[in-house]
Amino acid sequence: MRTKVFVPYLFLTPALVLFAIFMGYPIVYSLLLSFQTSVSGELVFTGVDNYAKLFSDKIFGKALLNTFIILIVQVPLMLFTSLLLATLLNSLKRFKALFRVAFFMPAVTSLIAASIIFSIILMNDGILNQLLGAVGIDPIPWLSHPVWAKVSLIIAMTWRWTGYNMVIYLAGLQNVSESLYEAASIDGATRVRQFFNITIPQLKPIILFTAILSTIGTLQLFEEPYTLTKGGPSDATITIGMYLYQTGFRYFNFGYASTLAYVIVILIGILSYIQFKVTGDE
Amino acid sequence: MVAKRVRVSITTLILLIGSFISLFPFYWAIIGGTNESGKIFAKPPVLLPGNQLFENIRNLNESIGIGRVMFNSLFVTIVYTILALVVSTMAGYVFAKFNFKGKTVIFGIFLLSMMIPYHAIVIPVFKMMAAWGWLGTYKALILPNIAYPFAIFLMRQNMMAVPNAMMEAGRIDGVSEWGLFTKIILPSSKPALAATAIYLFMYQWNNFLWPLISATSEDMYTMPVALSSLFGLSRIDYGQVMAGVTLATFPIILFFLMLQKYFIQGMLGSSVKE
């Protein structure tokens, strides 16, 4: 029995039409917008002016730097923790499902709700500083000091996404042959060596997958600084995503905001390419 | 044997500490939501739930009209999830089970668009909605993200597992293509449907940037937008805010716990199979 040629297209029509209207067209249109500037209320083409402006825009420089600092510290830290937790959880015989749900829970909540709870926990007289005080550590200005504010963002992001990545790694671990570990044990390799010499190389493609996902997420970082630090103190935690929102929807400069959006697109492209090259040599 | 037992204990201890860190903020939101504002910063800290929940919810209702906001969130999320599930199931099915001209190109475009940040789409969509007069309507909140590439991808990955023989048998028996889809494919992809449904539900329930931009009046606010508006005020009533956070988190946690088995399976299906 042969199916009629048009059948797949019929099934695909709703997705294709909606995709074309609400994603395809906007993606192209915003590329065009990125070459336009508002001149007395009218958007006119001004070539690469917006892109040239990036180089002299101090806030953009800060946003780019902040985003990169957070990216470089947070993504490796989180992925390593996820991998470690997955390995530990995988070695457990009982309560596996329970722990998995507990660790996954943060990924289920809204970023806004989570950021609000975090900002309350991290306030000067919040519970975290009180706990630290109990062990003799002076209160830390989590949200009002340029360095600590970045640390706070990193903590909030790590809290939210570690369990998510852990679950992905757990799945990957199930495909790693038990015999590799047995052979290594016979050769006298310690657990730590097995982790670095078997687990990490075996999971390489999945680590790459999570690294790319996390990079994409971090480059778009918006809700956490919007709620936790409002980009402050004095732009110490402004991210490209947040600067884009301010430019577009507070100052209604759609042209320049689209340029910033395409900067994110370009960065995601470059970084994904590098990650592919570094991690996947085949 | 002793060494092994010690190792298991240490492992369990680390996992317990990790779980505690994962779950504590939820617990803290409940504590805050059920106590007076001041108690959240009391010294020594109050660690047990109080009896101020209804008082806090009443205040919350006065500030943001919690009933209306809850309704908006639930209505938008449920309608969105149903529509997006239908669209992505049909598309995922086609990509998993058919060969046709342009398949690789179309699927490739869908996959690539997953790398395009939402930020690059939001301004044109906003302009479009403004031109159509849709801003501040449910249409604007629900329609734009219905063809959600990740959901299509998730359905496709999971539907590849449905045996082709079942479809062939149906075709030989003269079942129509639509009948094949509804009577054979759908019933055998229940876990995939559940996984995608939670994913879509979660995505829309938690969505912030688009509702923030498109809900132009307070009576169109969804939970996250209303919460953030509350948190932005100069004098914040923390009891109220925490009660709001608890209410915003409750439905999604419930939905997740009910379907988590399928969800984790579905997610695994999508990430492991290449």
Side-chain angles (χ1 to χ4, degrees):
Chain A
M1 278 268 143
R2 275 183 52 81
T3 50
K4 297 191 179 68
V5 189
F6 61 84
V7 167
Y9 298 105
L10 276 186
F11 275 89
L12 212 51
T13 302
L16 279 181
V17 170
L18 287 164
F19 182 86
I21 299 174
F22 292 112
M23 279 188 108
Y25 167 77
I27 288 170
V28 176
Y29 186 58
S30 102
L31 182 62
L32 294 178
L33 268 178
S34 76
F35 294 106
Q36 297 175 34
T37 308
S38 179
V39 176
S40 56
E42 289 277 316
L43 281 162
V44 288
F45 273 93
T46 49
V48 292
D49 277 13
N50 285 337
Y51 289 90
K53 187 178 158 192
L54 291 171
F55 292 97
S56 56
D57 182 344
K58 286 211 178 76
I59 304 181
F60 171 71
K62 274 198 162 176
L64 190 66
L65 184 68
N66 290 338
T67 307
F68 266 92
I69 292 174
I70 293 167
L71 184 75
I72 288 165
V73 178
Q74 198 267 338
V75 173
L77 179 82
M78 170 184 70
L79 294 185
F80 186 77
T81 315
S82 305
L83 198 52
L84 201 66
L85 286 175
T87 311
L88 291 178
L89 194 49
N90 202 41
S91 72
L92 220 59
K93 290 216 165 48
R94 290 156 63 197
F95 305 120
K96 236 184 199 168
L98 216 59
F99 277 123
R100 203 173 54 184
V101 170
F103 280 111
F104 197 81
M105 209 82 119
V108 175
T109 22
S110 92
L111 279 169
I112 286 300
S115 304
I116 289 177
I117 309 176
F118 261 85
S119 64
I120 292 172
I121 290 176
L122 295 172
M123 275 175 190
N124 275 338
D125 40 4
I127 180 94
L128 186 60
N129 273 343
Q130 287 203 39
L131 288 178
L132 292 175
V135 290
I137 298 172
D138 285 339
I140 292 171
W142 292 106
L143 301 170
S144 55
H145 182 280
V147 174
W148 288 114
K150 286 191 196 73
V151 174
S152 301
L153 283 183
I154 290 170
I155 293 175
M157 291 165 74
T158 308
W159 176 78
R160 184 172 162 93
W161 295 112
T162 300
Y164 183 89
N165 290 301
M166 185 201 78
V167 168
I168 297 179
Y169 291 149
L170 262 178
L173 282 174
Q174 275 155 21
N175 294 351
V176 179
S177 161
E178 197 57 43
S179 61
L180 281 175
Y181 292 104
E182 278 161 19
S185 294
I186 292 166
D187 290 344
T190 60
R191 291 270 154 168
V192 178
R193 280 205 56 184
Q194 291 177 25
F195 178 75
F196 285 102
N197 293 344
I198 300 175
T199 309
I200 291 184
Q202 287 288 317
L203 291 185
K204 220 159 114 186
I206 298 178
I207 295 174
L208 176 67
F209 173 79
T210 53
I212 291 176
L213 279 189
S214 308
T215 303
I216 295 178
T218 308
L219 287 176
Q220 300 184 51
L221 188 63
F222 166 67
E223 276 97 336
E224 290 95 333
Y226 181 88
T227 308
L228 270 180
T229 56
K230 305 200 165 43
S234 56
D235 294 332
T237 54
I238 195 165
T239 58
I240 309 177
M242 211 184 144
Y243 187 41
L244 187 157
Y245 170 78
Q246 285 181 352
T247 309
F249 295 95
R250 202 163 293 159
Y251 307 118
F252 293 99
N253 189 347
F254 287 155
Y256 194 46
S258 299
T259 310
L260 291 168
Y262 265 87
V263 168
I264 300 181
V265 174
I266 294 164
L267 287 175
I268 287 177
I270 295 173
L271 289 177
S272 305
Y273 179 78
I274 293 174
Q275 280 166 339
F276 258 116
K277 280 283 153 195
V278 172
T279 326
D281 30 10
E282 54 272 87
Chain B
M1 265 340 266
V2 176
K4 193 177 176 197
R5 204 171 294 162
V6 169
R7 202 166 59 219
V8 170
S9 315
I10 293 174
T11 303
T12 313
L13 185 69
I14 295 174
L15 290 171
L16 276 175
I17 295 172
S19 311
F20 175 79
I21 296 172
S22 273
L23 298 177
F24 181 77
F26 294 103
Y27 181 72
W28 196 236
I30 296 170
I31 297 294
T34 54
N35 276 306
E36 289 160 45
S37 219
K39 288 239 175 102
I40 299 168
F41 304 104
K43 283 172 195 174
V46 176
L47 290 170
L48 292 174
N51 52 11
Q52 288 281 310
L53 179 63
F54 292 104
E55 178 71 30
N56 283 333
I57 290 178
R58 194 160 33 204
N59 291 337
L60 185 67
N61 190 37
E62 266 168 35
S63 313
I64 57 170
I66 187 68
R68 171 83 196 196
V69 169
M70 250 321 191
F71 171 79
N72 287 345
S73 263
L74 280 172
F75 178 74
V76 167
T77 307
I78 291 170
V79 174
Y80 169 83
T81 304
I82 294 168
L83 293 177
L85 193 61
V86 173
V87 170
S88 52
T89 305
M90 284 164 62
Y93 167 56
V94 169
F95 287 124
K97 292 294 172 205
F98 289 90
N99 278 314
F100 56 94
K101 241 196 177 129
K103 176 176 168 174
T104 330
V105 175
I106 299 173
F107 191 63
I109 292 175
F110 275 126
L111 279 188
L112 263 184
S113 75
M114 277 161 62
M115 310 249 305
I116 302 280
Y118 194 61
H119 296 117
I121 299 164
V122 89
I123 289 169
V125 176
F126 175 80
K127 290 190 74 169
M128 236 151 74
M129 297 280 153
W132 297 347
W134 279 18
L135 288 176
T137 67
Y138 287 119
K139 278 183 288 193
L141 284 170
I142 294 170
L143 290 179
N145 301 309
I146 284 184
Y148 191 45
F150 187 69
I152 295 173
F153 177 70
L154 209 63
M155 281 312 301
R156 172 204 179 246
Q157 295 299 89
N158 286 291
M159 275 189 169
M160 307 238 275
V162 178
N164 287 327
M166 278 168 72
M167 290 168 59
E168 291 307 321
R171 287 212 178 97
I172 290 163
D173 290 346
V175 181
S176 72
E177 285 296 330
W178 184 250
L180 212 61
F181 177 64
T182 53
K183 297 204 183 76
I184 297 175
I185 300 298
L186 287 187
S188 52
S189 1
K190 270 185 200 148
L193 287 166
T196 312
I198 316 178
Y199 194 87
L200 290 165
F201 192 95
M202 216 160 84
Y203 168 77
Q204 185 64 23
W205 181 265
N206 294 335
N207 196 357
F208 177 67
L209 183 58
W210 178 243
L212 176 71
I213 292 165
S214 70
T216 42
S217 67
E218 277 182 33
D219 58 350
M220 291 306 290
Y221 278 3
T222 56
M223 272 316 266
V225 180
L227 280 180
S228 93
S229 76
L230 206 57
F231 196 67
L233 299 175
S234 51
R235 256 196 92 254
I236 303 170
D237 173 355
Y238 290 101
Q240 213 185 100
V241 171
M242 297 287 250
V245 167
T246 309
L247 283 182
T249 311
F250 187 67
I252 189 82
I253 297 276
L254 202 68
F255 197 63
F256 169 69
L257 288 181
M258 279 182 341
L259 296 172
Q260 60 94 8
K261 206 178 83 195
Y262 296 114
F263 181 66
I264 289 176
Q265 270 174 14
M267 228 180 71
L268 304 187
S270 77
S271 63
V272 178
K273 281 176 237 149
E274 289 296 302

